[in-house]
């Protein structure tokens, strides 16, 4: 392989897996804006409609940890084909759904497809892109995970307003077809050796994320000391303990958690988790603020996130180039500083944010995300040997899905607690709750910056 050029086949392979992942990730947040319409059409309540998002996050979080095992056991093209066909089937089910149960089923099936595709994209980059270009292509790859959630509400709002909610799935068909055609270029580099799937580990993974995600989502509607919250959380933690124990017993576990003994990797993983948590929390707080506090339309609320998303998209590959040329420290710390600056202004003016200020501050926030987010994942994987990187890839992508569930639920819970205050009108209570959410994210931003000063120290840049 050339040390400088990325072959056309590799570029097409990244494109194929990337747009396949983009459809699923953008579809997740695109559907959030359709909740009031779905509730009216299918005569369901808020708790029920949340399953459109919950089931998707749950399935992706359960499938992604299997990616290291799948990479060792099956050809990449076979994994891609299964992921693509599952995504097509899921989109078809949702487009034709005669009842809400079929909408949820479609999101479940598409979630499985994205669970196959998302880690495959990063595995192809890490294995087949020349070392000097990995930062650039990882930046391009993380456009999917960092930008798609922000673009989703804008696209979903515009499509729903003009063509109905089913059009969100209709527009995905030609994109998935293009992905299928481009996927013919995927090549197999590593040796495949079929392994036996450890059923106990698989059940532990399912229990972990079923319990943790359902427990966290239950916080919005149930008391903490109830089975809907504490009961599911206990199941989740027990599943996690079982997974760690079982992984230590096996010579080749489904996912090698022992790599987390590398403290620099663990620091990058934790920072990556908090970045995604903050990003999804902002994606909830800002559209709600625009609609409920500033009394603007749903379409405007969706469009408010678009400029920031575009800026983040532009900076992501640019930051990868900086990493390739200058190391990880500069783009990561600069990105974390931009995010902290945005959180500071959101907190300071949280009770009287105009739409113009929201637009500007979110652009600052997404500049920081574009600079740092993908490079944290890239530099974290550089702390490991090549054969350990698929396991790290699985950990990063799994926690990313879990962080999305935590961020959205945490933000909604903080706002809901304020809205329950009977002494304030709803608008004032929503503004105060949003400001409280911004304060939590500001504190998280301080933690992120301090953590990253440690994990991307000058002595670690060349690792």
């Amino acid at each position: 392989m050339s040390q400088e050029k990325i072959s056309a086949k590799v570029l097409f392979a990244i494109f194929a897996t990337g747009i396949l992942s983009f459809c699923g990730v953008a579809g997740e947040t695109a559907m959030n804006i359709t909740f009031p319409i779905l509730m009216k059409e299918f005569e369901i309540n808020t708790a029920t409609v949340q399953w459109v998002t919950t089931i998707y996050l749950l399935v992706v979080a359960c499938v992604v940890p299997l990616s290291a095992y799948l990479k060792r056991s099956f050809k990449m093209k076979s994994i891609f084909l299964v992921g693509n066909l599952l995504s097509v089937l899921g989109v078809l089910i949702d487009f034709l759904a005669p009842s809400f149960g079929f909408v949820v089923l479609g999101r479940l099936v598409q979630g499985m497809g994205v669970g196959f595709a998302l880690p495959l994209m990063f595995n192809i980059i890490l294995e087949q892109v020349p070392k000097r270009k990995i930062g650039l292509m990882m930046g391009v790859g993380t456009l999917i995970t960092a930008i798609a959630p922000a673009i989703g509400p804008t696209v979903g709002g515009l499509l729903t307003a003009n063509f109905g909610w089913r059009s969100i799935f209709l527009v995905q068909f030609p994109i998935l077809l293009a992905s299928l055609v481009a996927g013919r270029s995927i090549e197999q580099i590593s040796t495949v050796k079929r392994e036996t799937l450890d059923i106990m580990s698989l059940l532990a993974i399912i229990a972990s994320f079923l319990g943790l995600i359902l427990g966290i989502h239950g916080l919005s509607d149930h008391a903490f000391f109830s089975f809907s919250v504490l009961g599911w959380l206990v199941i989740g933690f027990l599943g996690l303990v079982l997974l760690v124990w079982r992984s230590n017993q096996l010579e080749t576990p489904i996912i090698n958690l022992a790599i987390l003994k590398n403290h620099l990797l663990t620091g990058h993983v934790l920072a990556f988790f908090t970045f995604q948590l903050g990003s999804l929390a902002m994606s909830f707080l800002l559209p709600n603020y625009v609609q409920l506090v500033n009394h603007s339309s749903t379409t405007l609320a969706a469009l408010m996130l678009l400029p920031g998303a575009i800026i983040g998209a532009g900076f992501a590959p640019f930051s990868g180039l900086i990493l390739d040329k200058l190391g990880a420290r500069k783009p990561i710390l600069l990105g974390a500083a931009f995010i902290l600056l945005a959180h500071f202004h959101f907190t300071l003016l949280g009770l009287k944010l105009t739409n113009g200020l929201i637009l500007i501050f979110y652009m600052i926030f997404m500049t920081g995300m574009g600079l740092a987010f993908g490079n944290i994942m890239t530099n974290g994987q550089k702390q490991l040997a090549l054969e350990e990187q698929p396991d790290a890839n699985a950990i990063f992508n799994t926690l990313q899905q879990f962080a999305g569930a935590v961020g959205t639920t945490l933000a909604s819970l903080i706002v809901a607690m304020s809205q329950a205050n009977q002494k304030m009108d709803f608008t004032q209570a929503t503004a105060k709750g949003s400001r409280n959410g911004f304060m939590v994210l500001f504190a998280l931003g301080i933690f992120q910056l301090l953590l990253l000063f440690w994990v991307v120290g000058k002595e670690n840049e060349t690792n």
Side-chain angles (χ1 to χ4, degrees):
M1 183 191 302
S2 167
Q3 293 301 307
E4 298 296 335
K5 290 192 65 176
I6 306 173
S7 71
K9 283 192 173 183
V10 172
L11 288 174
F12 273 111
I14 295 170
F15 171 79
T17 52
I19 60 174
L20 177 57
S21 302
F22 184 89
C23 283
V25 176
E28 173 198 344
T29 52
M31 286 303 292
N32 289 346
I33 210 161
T34 70
F35 282 0
I37 297 171
L38 295 177
M39 291 167 64
K40 182 177 180 180
E41 179 172 335
F42 295 112
E43 299 180 347
I44 52 176
N45 58 27
T46 302
T48 302
V49 78
Q50 288 286 343
W51 276 101
V52 171
T53 298
T54 302
I55 197 67
Y56 171 85
L57 288 171
L58 180 58
V59 172
V60 175
C62 288
V63 174
V64 168
L66 303 178
S67 60
Y69 158 79
L70 292 171
K71 182 180 182 295
R72 295 190 298 264
S73 300
F74 301 94
K75 291 182 178 180
M76 286 185 171
K77 189 174 289 187
S78 299
I79 299 171
F80 168 78
L81 184 61
V82 171
N84 189 286
L85 294 178
L86 284 171
S87 294
V88 170
L89 178 59
V91 166
L92 181 63
I93 292 172
D94 277 323
F95 177 65
L96 299 175
S99 66
F100 182 71
F102 279 92
V103 176
V104 173
L105 176 62
R107 295 303 292 150
L108 183 154
V109 174
Q110 191 174 13
M112 291 179 64
V114 174
F116 283 113
L118 191 57
L120 180 61
M121 173 179 62
F122 291 110
N123 281 331
I124 290 173
I125 292 171
L126 291 167
E127 183 178 273
Q128 300 184 21
V129 169
K131 188 174 181 179
R132 290 172 61 89
K133 301 286 187 180
I134 284 179
L136 170 64
M137 296 312 298
M138 287 290 283
V140 172
T142 51
L143 288 179
I144 306 303
T145 51
I147 306 306
I151 290 178
T154 301
V155 175
L158 293 175
L159 286 173
T160 301
N162 291 284
F163 307 106
W165 65 269
R166 294 177 192 269
S167 64
I168 293 174
F169 302 102
L170 180 62
V171 299
Q172 294 185 45
F173 280 107
I175 301 174
L176 294 174
L177 179 60
S179 169
L180 185 61
V181 173
R184 297 171 58 189
S185 63
I186 295 176
E187 294 182 315
Q188 187 66 34
I189 302 297
S190 58
T191 302
V192 172
K193 183 180 179 181
R194 187 69 60 88
E195 297 177 2
T196 302
L197 179 64
D198 183 61
I199 301 302
M200 185 179 294
S201 297
L202 178 60
L203 293 175
I205 289 171
I206 294 172
S208 296
F209 291 104
L210 182 69
L212 294 174
I213 289 178
L214 292 185
I216 289 168
H217 273 259
L219 283 169
S220 300
D221 303 303
H222 302 278
F224 180 80
F225 292 101
S226 65
F227 179 80
S228 296
V229 178
L230 184 59
W232 279 119
L233 290 177
V234 169
I235 290 173
F237 281 115
L238 288 177
L240 190 58
V241 170
L242 176 61
L243 178 61
V244 172
W245 175 81
R246 186 60 178 167
S247 296
N248 290 331
Q249 305 300 308
L250 299 173
E251 183 177 346
T252 308
I254 283 182
I255 182 169
N256 181 16
L257 298 176
I259 61 174
L260 292 174
K261 293 177 182 178
N262 182 321
H263 298 307
L264 288 178
L265 171 67
T266 303
H268 283 82
V269 168
L270 181 57
F272 189 81
F273 177 86
T274 58
F275 266 63
Q276 179 70 356
L277 186 156
S279 178
L280 268 293
M282 292 292 279
S283 294
F284 174 87
L285 290 170
L286 297 184
N288 277 276
Y289 196 105
V290 172
Q291 293 177 83
L292 301 179
V293 179
N294 294 345
H295 305 295
S296 300
S297 67
T298 301
T299 302
L300 181 60
L303 288 172
M304 293 297 294
L305 302 183
L306 185 58
I310 293 172
I311 287 177
F315 267 101
F318 175 64
S319 68
L321 283 172
I322 296 176
L323 183 142
D324 289 333
K325 294 182 180 298
L326 302 178
R329 183 179 178 86
K330 290 180 177 66
I332 288 178
L333 292 183
L334 184 60
F338 270 106
I339 288 173
L340 185 60
L341 178 65
H343 286 322
F344 172 76
H345 284 96
F346 275 121
T347 301
L348 184 66
L349 302 173
L351 296 178
K352 48 184 179 181
L353 285 167
T354 64
N355 287 347
L357 289 174
I358 290 173
L359 183 69
I360 293 170
F361 297 159
Y362 188 65
M363 288 166 66
I364 296 173
F365 174 82
M366 288 305 296
T367 298
M369 286 292 293
L371 282 169
F373 189 63
N375 285 333
I376 292 173
M377 183 177 182
T378 304
N379 199 56
Q381 306 227 35
K382 286 185 176 181
Q383 313 305 318
L384 302 172
L386 182 62
E387 63 272 13
E388 295 176 319
Q389 289 181 359
D391 292 290
N393 185 26
I395 291 172
F396 275 111
N397 282 286
T398 300
L399 288 181
Q400 184 177 14
Q401 303 305 315
F402 183 55
V406 175
T408 303
T409 303
L410 177 65
S412 63
L413 182 63
I414 292 172
V415 174
M417 289 172 62
S418 179
Q419 289 171 338
N421 188 340
Q422 301 297 324
K423 297 180 180 179
M424 291 186 288
D425 64 62
F426 188 77
T427 297
Q428 184 183 8
T430 302
K432 184 176 180 180
S434 299
R435 196 270 308 271
N436 293 341
F438 297 140
M439 290 174 65
V440 171
L441 294 178
F442 178 59
L444 188 66
I446 295 173
F447 169 76
Q448 286 172 175
L449 189 57
L450 293 175
L451 174 64
L452 289 169
F453 264 113
W454 171 59
V455 299
V456 293
K458 290 181 180 178
E459 69 277 12
N460 300 320
E461 287 189 3
T462 58
N463 283 8

